[in-house]
Amino acid sequence: MEKENPHEIPMVSICCLTYNHEKYVKQALDGFLMQKTNFPFEIVIHDDASTDNTANIIREYADKHPDVFKPLLQTENQRSKFGGGMNPRFNFPRAKGKYIAICEGDDYWTDPYKLQKQVDFLENNQEYVLCFHEVKILKPDGELVADYITKVPENYQTQEDFARYGNYIHAPSVLFKNVIETFPESFWKTPVGDFFIYMLVTNYGKMIKLNDVMSVYRAGSGVWSTQSAYPKNFRTAYAHALIIESMEENKKVVQALLGRIRLFLLRFYENITVDDLKKLTTTPEVQQVVYESLQEIIQEKDRLLEKEKENHIDNVATKHLITKLFKQVKKKIWKSR
């Protein structure tokens, strides 16, 4: 990085969230400071009232680099109040950069030219607004491996592609233009902030993936990594429904997200509750997908009843439960709206 100058406007704001990351945060902060750029950057960091030594470590770094670090060290946990949206709520409003880079305190960067490469691409290709790259995955046993979590599709650059295939971006790899002036009301309800943010950013242009491996995502250390299948997938489906609520005019995006909600319903119909279904139905379009998916499930159960006569009693009971759920959904969702 160039010599620190408190009067320079940063090109990039590195937005970092920490909570009880004392084992990892130095690696993250060192990864920020090692960046070699021909532009200034700032480190906008929010610690959510860690109960370990994380805040003290951040203070030490901020004392050594006061013109680069912009710490906000909470004394009361904010996630427990708001549920999410920590970067948009506490870091983005303080970010002065033309671009925002994200990296949480338990992940880290490995390439000293990461920011320079990403900024150079976006500066030279104005039709793009977001840039991400390959990462390595650090498994809980300490093994560093190629990314086995995400798969980037062949067609991935547009907002519609992103809506259709889901989130294939690891947060410590992303850098995007600081273009979101206000967040829609539905954003503040979302349990999956990153995907929503990237959807909003790509209102302004396309995304690009660089093949360089420039960061490490630590698997198994965060809340998201440790969730079981149903809660994780419901949170994602609910995020999709909230995005639909904020982008109803974009029919292609809406249809892509409705398709993903339908797949969720067909996969997890035995797990989902009436309350979750009610929460999911943010718009008439989502309501219709819920209705049609439940009809499809009942029709499939009818087919199985015919095929497995010997299990008639058990299958009738199963069908009865699904039919009861279907009626509850109609009563509690459609009549309450």
Side-chain angles (χ1 to χ4, degrees):
M1 183 181 66
E2 291 184 330
K3 185 177 179 181
E4 297 168 9
N5 184 340
H7 303 294
E8 284 187 296
I9 298 175
M11 176 68 84
V12 176
S13 297
I14 302 169
C15 291
C16 179
L17 299 174
T18 63
Y19 179 71
N20 288 353
H21 288 158
E22 65 176 359
K23 295 180 181 179
Y24 318 120
V25 70
K26 287 185 178 181
Q27 199 168 20
L29 302 182
D30 289 340
F32 304 157
L33 290 173
M34 77 174 180
Q35 292 300 301
K36 299 181 184 299
T37 64
N38 59 15
F39 51 77
F41 59 81
E42 64 179 355
I43 301 169
V44 182
I45 190 164
H46 174 266
D47 181 72
D48 203 11
S50 291
T51 58
D52 61 7
N53 200 42
T54 302
N56 289 330
I57 294 171
I58 294 169
R59 286 191 189 95
E60 292 174 7
Y61 277 76
D63 288 344
K64 291 179 182 178
H65 307 276
D67 297 326
V68 178
F69 278 84
K70 314 296 179 188
L72 176 56
L73 308 177
Q74 300 284 2
T75 56
E76 185 178 358
N77 187 269
Q78 301 301 304
R79 184 175 291 275
S80 62
K81 290 183 180 180
F82 299 109
M86 296 294 100
N87 262 324
R89 199 179 296 275
F90 295 108
N91 279 344
F92 291 178
R94 300 186 292 133
K96 298 177 181 178
K98 179 178 180 180
Y99 298 98
I100 287 176
I102 294 177
C103 185
E104 296 201 0
D106 54 347
D107 301 323
Y108 60 96
W109 296 347
T110 57
D111 187 331
Y113 295 98
K114 167 190 155 65
L115 291 183
Q116 188 70 58
K117 293 175 184 177
Q118 292 183 287
V119 168
D120 284 348
F121 182 90
L122 293 182
E123 285 288 287
N124 293 322
N125 299 272
Q126 291 299 310
E127 69 271 29
Y128 292 88
V129 293
L130 184 151
C131 179
F132 65 107
H133 55 74
E134 292 277 3
V135 306
K136 290 281 191 180
I137 305 296
L138 185 59
K139 297 169 69 175
D141 63 4
E143 183 183 8
L144 195 62
V145 298
D147 182 9
Y148 60 87
I149 297 174
T150 64
K151 184 178 180 181
V152 180
E154 183 177 352
N155 298 314
Y156 72 89
Q157 294 189 350
T158 69
Q159 185 184 62
E160 185 183 345
D161 295 329
F162 198 53
R164 178 176 294 109
Y165 297 113
N167 192 1
Y168 35 79
I169 298 173
H170 283 288
S173 78
V174 74
L175 179 139
F176 54 84
K177 284 188 177 180
N178 189 359
V179 291
I180 305 174
E181 295 182 0
T182 59
F183 285 85
E185 189 62 31
S186 60
F187 175 83
W188 303 110
K189 305 173 190 175
T190 185
V192 185
D194 288 353
F195 183 73
F196 207 140
I197 290 168
Y198 308 151
M199 287 293 296
L200 293 173
V201 170
T202 50
N203 275 327
Y204 299 88
K206 298 189 292 185
M207 62 174 67
I208 189 70
K209 173 179 173 288
L210 304 182
N211 291 325
D212 307 55
V213 178
M214 297 190 283
S215 63
V216 171
Y217 172 78
R218 194 181 301 271
S221 63
V223 174
W224 183 256
S225 295
T226 56
Q227 284 190 344
S228 59
Y230 174 73
K232 185 182 294 186
N233 281 273
F234 174 74
R235 283 161 59 90
T236 300
Y238 182 44
H240 293 161
L242 291 169
I243 293 170
I244 290 171
E245 185 178 356
S246 71
M247 295 187 175
E248 288 188 86
E249 74 288 347
N250 191 329
K251 298 305 180 183
K252 290 183 178 180
V253 165
V254 167
Q255 287 304 310
L257 293 173
L258 287 173
R260 296 187 63 80
I261 292 173
R262 175 184 172 277
L263 291 175
F264 162 76
L265 291 168
L266 295 179
R267 180 183 174 189
F268 290 101
Y269 70 88
E270 291 183 337
N271 305 91
I272 197 164
T273 65
V274 172
D275 287 340
D276 281 350
L277 282 172
K278 185 175 180 180
K279 189 176 182 181
L280 196 62
T281 53
T282 56
T283 69
E285 292 91 343
V286 180
Q287 291 177 8
Q288 187 64 28
V289 165
V290 170
Y291 183 88
E292 291 173 355
S293 298
L294 288 174
Q295 282 187 318
E296 188 174 342
I297 291 165
I298 290 173
Q299 289 169 1
E300 176 63 13
K301 287 297 179 182
D302 280 337
R303 187 186 67 80
L304 292 175
L305 276 171
E306 294 298 321
K307 187 176 180 180
E308 300 181 22
K309 294 292 186 180
E310 65 276 14
N311 295 325
H312 182 72
I313 295 176
D314 292 338
N315 282 325
V316 167
T318 301
K319 182 186 175 185
H320 175 71
L321 289 173
I322 294 173
T323 304
K324 184 178 179 181
L325 175 62
F326 181 74
K327 289 179 179 178
Q328 287 177 316
V329 170
K330 289 181 69 177
K331 179 178 178 182
K332 291 195 175 185
I333 296 176
W334 277 265
K335 290 187 179 181
S336 66
R337 291 180 180 266

